[in-house]
């Protein structure tokens, strides 16, 4: 199983930002005594010793360019070139550093995302770097809503993103993006231009078929239609293309997973036992077609009372964590059962667009960072976790 192959976890103790700063600064000196060089050293040491799920060996272990500019009197700016979106996490590091050093600090991140596997997609002219499948074992777990919000979250983190609706029989992406009844156009008469919602490039069979019509196709026809949507769309340059997979683990899902050059997959489930059983089948399906599963997203994990703040686990508790542990993969995040998410989905809106720093938006952004971070760490040859082969005489 791919989970076993990718279970190389760091044995280092995880340090949060405060611990990293404490270890890097001289306890006998106050922040007012620090020179510009001292502050630069504190920042650099903090980035070396800060650890998290996406930085098991520190931030600088995956950074290809690092520069600290202390020329400004009122602010220290740090330039970082990173291989996956991580702006939100490093913003938190910067805030803690600013509090400690008593000076504003900004992290300016330049994303340099590369493909973790080589492939050539007809019509894309190699513009799509990584394809990630968002899947579920059964319907009704909020997979499509989660996929759309993750796409918006990745955009908020600075990535170029597209989404493809693979649910030929029940496309919901047009509604979720507020693009009902919209139709794609074509500049050259050969490739369709993706529709755009808040900067997100999207394609769906729902843009081509009236929503009141039933799509009555057998498996090969549905698979062929999806393949056309993927290869006959004039996708722009994308760091990530998310595929909203149809629910289930039948012939169509297997065919799509085999024909599409998917880099990795993510499973969406609820904590309910019935959903977890089907989600486990989804992991097994991707294992059969040799597509690594990056982790589990537990949707509708809990309900937070608006009045008293009490957390109720309506559909069960810790099911996603237990499943991730049993499948030797990651729990990428937990999302609440929240009326705002439902309302936004019905009206084709997203809280991430309206308030990228809100509580719900931060949850999605953290999950999005975990997905792309794990994609790099587990599958990219440039990952610090990639085993190296040493030859001896």
């Amino acid at each position: 199983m791919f989970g076993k192959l990718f279970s190389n976890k760091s044995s280092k103790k995880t340090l949060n930002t405060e611990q990293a700063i404490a270890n890097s600064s001289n306890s006998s000196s106050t922040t007012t005594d620090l020179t510009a060089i001292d502050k630069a050293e504190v920042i650099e040491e903090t980035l070396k010793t800060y650890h998290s799920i996406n930085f098991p060996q520190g931030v600088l272990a995956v950074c290809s360019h690092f520069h600290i500019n202390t020329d400004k009197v009122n602010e220290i700016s740090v330039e970082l070139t990173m291989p996956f979106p991580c702006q939100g996490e490093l913003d938190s590091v910067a805030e803690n550093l600013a509090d400690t050093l008593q000076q504003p600090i900004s992290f300016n991140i330049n994303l340099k995302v590369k493909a973790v596997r080589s492939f050539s997609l007809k019509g894309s002219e190699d513009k799509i770097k990584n394809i990630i499948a968002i899947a579920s074992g059964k319907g009704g777990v909020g997979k499509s809503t989660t996929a759309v919000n993750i796409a918006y979250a990745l955009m908020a983190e600075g990535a170029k993103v597209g989404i493809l609706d693979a649910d030929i029989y029940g496309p919901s992406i047009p509604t979720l993006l507020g693009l009902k009844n919209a139709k794609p156009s074509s500049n050259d008469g050969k490739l369709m231009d993706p529709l755009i919602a808040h900067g997100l490039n999207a394609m769906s069979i729902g843009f081509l078929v009236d929503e009141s019509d039933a799509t009555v196709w057998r498996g090969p026809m549905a698979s062929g239609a999806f393949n056309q949507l993927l290869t006959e769309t004039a996708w722009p340059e994308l760091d990530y293309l998310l595929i909203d997979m149809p629910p289930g683990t039948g012939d169509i899902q297997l065919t799509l997973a085999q024909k599409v050059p998917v880099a990795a997959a993510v499973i969406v489930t609820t904590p309910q036992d019935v959903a977890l059983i089907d989600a486990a089948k989804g992991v097994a399906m991707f294992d059969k077609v040799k597509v690594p599963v990056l982790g589990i997203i537990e949707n509708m994990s809990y309900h937070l009372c608006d009045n008293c703040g009490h957390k109720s686990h309506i559909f069960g508790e810790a099911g996603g964590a237990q499943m991730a542990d049993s499948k030797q993969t990651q729990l990428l995040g937990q999302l609440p059962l929240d009326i705002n998410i439902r309302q936004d989905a019905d009206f084709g809106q997203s809280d991430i667009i309206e308030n990228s720093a809100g509580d719900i938006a931060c949850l999605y952004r953290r999950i999005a960072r975990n997905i792309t971070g794990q994609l790099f760490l587990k599958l990219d040859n440039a990952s610090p976790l990639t085993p190296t082969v040493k030859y001896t005489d």
Side-chain angles (χ1 to χ4, degrees):
M1 177 179 292
F2 274 91
K4 295 179 180 177
L5 294 176
F6 302 138
S7 60
N8 182 16
K9 297 181 179 178
S10 173
S11 60
K12 292 185 178 181
K13 181 181 178 181
T14 299
L15 300 179
N16 59 30
T17 313
E18 292 82 358
Q19 290 172 319
I21 293 172
N23 289 350
S24 62
S25 60
N26 189 337
S27 59
S28 62
S29 300
T30 64
T31 54
T32 56
D33 297 331
L34 297 178
T35 65
I37 295 177
D38 293 333
K39 291 179 180 180
E41 289 178 351
V42 170
I43 293 171
E44 182 174 358
E45 188 63 23
T46 297
L47 292 177
K48 285 181 180 179
T49 56
Y50 172 82
H51 299 303
S52 69
I53 181 177
N54 295 326
F55 299 110
Q57 296 182 12
V59 176
L60 298 187
V62 299
C63 177
S64 58
H65 172 75
F66 171 60
H67 176 71
I68 301 175
N69 183 7
T70 58
D71 293 338
K72 294 182 180 180
V73 177
N74 297 324
E75 183 183 54
I76 299 175
S77 63
V78 182
E79 295 178 6
L80 297 160
T81 298
M82 304 298 291
F84 56 85
C86 54
Q87 184 72 60
E89 182 170 357
L90 293 189
D91 281 346
S92 297
V93 176
E95 289 176 7
N96 284 315
L97 275 167
D99 290 341
T100 301
L101 299 179
Q102 298 180 8
Q103 185 173 2
I105 296 174
S106 64
F107 282 1
N108 303 314
I109 296 177
N110 175 38
L111 272 185
K112 194 172 183 180
V113 178
K114 295 182 179 179
V116 299
R117 61 173 293 188
S118 299
F119 68 91
S120 180
L121 198 62
K122 175 187 174 184
S124 71
E125 300 177 355
D126 297 327
K127 290 182 177 179
I128 301 174
K129 295 177 183 177
N130 297 291
I131 298 178
I132 302 174
I134 310 295
S136 66
K138 67 187 295 294
V141 299
K143 169 185 54 62
S144 296
T145 302
T146 302
V148 167
N149 281 316
I150 287 173
Y152 283 138
L154 285 172
M155 290 174 58
E157 292 284 325
K160 290 173 283 190
V161 189
I163 189 166
L164 178 60
D165 193 349
D167 196 344
I168 301 298
Y169 299 118
S172 55
I173 293 299
T175 300
L176 293 170
L177 296 182
L179 295 174
K180 292 176 67 174
N181 302 319
K183 303 296 180 185
S185 59
S186 175
N187 288 327
D188 58 6
K190 297 179 181 179
L191 299 177
M192 296 179 292
D193 294 325
L195 276 76
I196 300 177
H198 305 290
L200 175 63
N201 292 270
M203 182 52 66
S204 168
I205 193 69
F207 297 144
L208 307 175
V209 179
D210 190 89
E211 66 174 346
S212 61
D213 291 341
T215 307
V216 186
W217 290 340
R218 292 188 182 276
M221 293 177 64
S223 300
F226 168 74
N227 194 54
Q228 282 185 288
L229 290 175
L230 176 64
T231 60
E232 296 182 14
T233 297
W235 298 105
E237 184 176 342
L238 300 175
D239 295 320
Y240 304 99
L241 176 64
L242 304 185
I243 298 185
D244 180 25
M245 295 284 286
T249 56
D251 175 68
I252 295 177
Q253 289 80 5
L254 281 170
T255 302
L256 296 183
Q258 289 174 319
K259 285 189 174 182
V260 178
V262 176
V266 173
I267 303 294
V268 180
T269 185
T270 65
Q272 194 174 8
D273 288 345
V274 174
L276 292 168
I277 291 171
D278 289 334
K281 294 177 182 178
V283 175
M285 178 195 73
F286 284 112
D287 182 49
K288 288 182 182 295
V289 295
K290 302 296 186 291
V291 174
V293 174
L294 298 175
I296 310 296
I297 299 174
E298 187 181 84
N299 196 28
M300 308 181 204
S301 179
Y302 55 88
H303 175 260
L304 202 62
C305 179
D306 293 335
N307 296 322
C308 66
H310 176 70
K311 187 181 288 188
S312 301
H313 298 276
I314 298 174
F315 297 110
E317 186 175 359
Q322 293 170 6
M323 178 183 169
D325 185 61
S326 67
K327 297 298 180 180
Q328 296 187 338
T329 187
Q330 298 277 1
L331 177 65
L332 298 170
Q334 297 171 305
L335 295 164
L337 181 64
D338 191 286
I339 190 172
N340 292 318
I341 297 176
R342 194 274 301 167
Q343 289 176 337
D344 285 344
D346 288 346
F347 292 105
Q349 300 172 348
S350 173
D351 191 58
I352 302 169
I353 301 298
E354 302 298 327
N355 181 16
S356 64
D359 292 341
I360 297 297
C362 285
L363 288 175
Y364 279 113
R365 289 181 65 172
R366 185 180 300 118
I367 291 172
R369 293 194 300 267
N370 289 344
I371 291 173
T372 55
Q374 294 306 300
L375 178 70
F376 171 80
L377 290 173
K378 295 179 179 179
L379 299 177
D380 199 296
N381 287 332
S383 166
L385 303 185
T386 300
T388 56
V389 179
K390 293 183 178 180
Y391 297 93
T392 57
D393 296 332

